[in-house]
Amino acid sequence: MVATNFDGKRVDHCHRCGGSLIESGGAASQAGEWADPSYWRETLGRPTQGNKLPCPACNGPMDGFQVPWGGRSVVVDHCNTCGSLFLDAGEGQKLASIVQEAEAQGGLKGAKDSMGRKVKNLRPAYDYDGELLGAQDDMQKPGLRVYIFQLLTGMPVEVWNPVRQTPWATRTTTVILIALFVVQIMAMLGMGIERGTVFLRFFSLVPSEIAQGRHLWGLVTYMFLHAGWFHLLGNLYFLNVFGDNVEDRLGLGRVIGLYLLSGIMGGVLQTVLSGNPDLPVVGASGAIAGLMGAYLVLFPRVKVWMVLFFMHWRVPIALYLGGWVLLNIAGWYLGGHAVAWWAHLGGFLTGALLALLLRD
């Protein structure tokens, strides 16, 4: 956990799970006035059952409290000894919005603040941009549009893993891949099918040629080409789901190095183990698989929404990515040579190992 000071209050934040330990009196500045225990503990808080967690600040027992209202609820931990409040990722805004809604509907009658004054006319919780926080519920299932998208594509959606800064490398890579694919299409149309195929092969990864020491630049250039729009869009989706968080954790320079090295090592493994060495390989999948491997190492407790058997499920990232690895192994075993399975697996392994070395 990393200790910081905000508005004179200490906050210990864990970048792995996204949780924060806030010292007594600091909840208002972190998540909004309504997150302060003095407003909800005696009026809405319901003690939870089970073992009490030790407070990271003073090692005293932390009481778990469920704070329900209007069909929503959140469970938070509060230390009786030092007054610290522990909020998991997303719980601060959720807690503040629930308590604020309860106050508006008369649910905090008799509540008093830490100075013993009756609660009234407090400003609502605001985010850092000054915009009013909505009653968002980050742990609720995604809406109908997301459900239909996932049902049709099988793509994962993160439950909650926000970034702290703009992911410039991820966004720039997205723009570059789109621009190069447009250039690729225009070149293919201008040259004709036969010459265009020769052009594409020149910049692709061809295992038989790489093994003979020729066209070695293909180990780099292949990861900037794609076989079609669906191939490109699928890769861009995974790039932005996993890349922004890895970049946020490792930084701009490290994530670029991890991306490129994962793609190169994925190409090397594809060269060594390819079932069809004369088949050209294109796509950023190996490099993006490196981001997926790094994501697993850096954020092992994150969960993703998946649609399975027409129902939404919250799946641990380790289970999802473990299934992805097994799917690639099965694809190679069953002889699907049209897909660069070993580029995926090589990139994934490289990214995971690099994340182990680069993480704080």
Side-chain angles (χ1 to χ4, degrees), residues 28-33 100 123-133:
S29 63
Q30 293 299 302
E33 305 228 16
Q100 182 184 353
R123 66 176 177 84
Y126 283 82
D127 65 7
Y128 294 116
D129 296 325
E131 298 175 354
L132 184 64
L133 290 172

Side-chain angles (χ1 to χ4, degrees), residues 86-108:
F86 189 86
L87 299 171
D88 290 329
E91 285 185 347
Q93 296 177 358
K94 184 177 180 181
L95 172 64
S97 67
I98 288 176
V99 178
Q100 182 184 353
E101 180 182 343
E103 191 279 336
Q105 298 178 12
L108 298 187

Side-chain angles (χ1 to χ4, degrees), residues 8-355:
K9 297 295 182 180
R10 172 169 172 152
V11 178
D12 294 274
H13 182 71
C14 176
H15 292 300
R16 172 164 293 194
C17 73
S20 297
L21 180 73
I22 306 172
E23 74 172 358
S24 180
S29 63
Q30 293 299 302
E33 305 228 16
W34 297 108
D36 192 289
S38 60
Y39 300 136
W40 54 261
R41 176 166 170 163
E42 301 300 330
T43 53
L44 296 176
R46 300 177 181 176
T48 59
Q49 302 295 321
N51 296 329
K52 296 184 179 181
L53 299 175
C55 175
C58 69
N59 207 37
M62 299 195 80
D63 291 324
F65 287 93
Q66 182 184 30
V67 185
W69 189 263
R72 298 190 301 141
S73 69
V74 62
V75 176
V76 296
D77 296 292
H78 181 251
C79 179
N80 281 324
T81 305
C82 68
S84 296
L85 182 68
F86 189 86
L87 299 171
D88 290 329
E91 285 185 347
Q93 296 177 358
K94 184 177 180 181
L95 172 64
S97 67
I98 288 176
V99 178
Q100 182 184 353
E101 180 182 343
E103 191 279 336
Q105 298 178 12
L108 298 187
K109 292 181 180 179
K112 297 181 179 180
D113 62 19
S114 57
M115 299 297 293
R117 297 170 299 191
K118 186 177 179 181
V119 174
K120 65 176 182 179
N121 298 327
L122 284 178
R123 66 176 177 84
Y126 283 82
D127 65 7
Y128 294 116
D129 296 325
E131 298 175 354
L132 184 64
L133 290 172
Q136 63 180 11
D137 189 346
D138 298 297
M139 303 302 286
Q140 292 292 331
K141 294 180 181 179
L144 179 60
R145 292 181 181 179
V146 177
Y147 171 79
I148 294 175
F149 166 76
Q150 290 192 273
L151 181 64
L152 296 176
T153 64
M155 296 294 193
V157 173
E158 289 173 303
V159 172
W160 174 262
N161 196 11
V163 295
R164 298 166 295 162
Q165 54 193 355
T166 303
W168 291 114
T170 302
R171 293 186 179 181
T172 302
T173 303
T174 300
V175 173
I176 290 174
L177 292 178
I178 294 174
L180 288 179
F181 184 72
V182 172
V183 171
Q184 174 188 330
I185 294 298
M186 294 178 63
M188 295 283 287
L189 292 175
M191 294 179 180
I193 297 179
E194 186 174 341
R195 293 180 61 189
T197 302
V198 174
F199 167 80
L200 184 62
R201 184 182 179 90
F202 183 78
F203 291 103
S204 302
L205 185 152
V206 183
S208 60
E209 295 182 357
I210 297 294
Q212 296 174 22
R214 296 182 296 160
H215 292 174
L216 296 181
W217 57 81
L219 287 170
V220 176
T221 55
Y222 89 99
M223 67 180 85
F224 294 97
L225 304 175
H226 287 86
W229 280 108
F230 287 109
H231 187 202
L232 173 67
L233 293 176
N235 277 342
L236 292 183
Y237 183 83
F238 282 99
L239 169 64
N240 284 272
V241 168
F242 299 108
D244 58 348
N245 295 108
V246 175
E247 178 182 350
D248 191 60
R249 179 70 184 275
L250 296 183
L252 181 64
R254 289 181 174 183
V255 78
I256 292 176
L258 184 145
Y259 180 88
L260 293 174
L261 190 56
S262 295
I264 293 172
M265 295 306 296
V268 170
L269 196 62
Q270 181 68 23
T271 297
V272 174
L273 300 175
S274 175
N276 188 349
D278 290 324
L279 183 67
V281 176
V282 295
S285 304
I288 295 171
L291 297 175
M292 295 164 67
Y295 190 98
L296 177 61
V297 171
L298 299 175
F299 307 100
R301 293 175 181 258
V302 168
K303 295 183 179 181
V304 293
W305 289 111
M306 290 295 297
V307 173
L308 301 171
F309 305 109
F310 299 97
M311 296 178 60
H312 255 135
W313 300 86
R314 204 163 59 189
V315 180
I317 191 63
L319 183 60
Y320 172 77
L321 291 179
W324 179 87
V325 168
L326 292 177
L327 179 64
N328 278 268
I329 294 175
W332 162 78
Y333 181 78
L334 295 175
H337 300 311
V339 178
W341 305 110
W342 287 111
H344 298 173
L345 294 170
F348 184 88
L349 180 61
T350 301
L353 293 175
L354 287 175

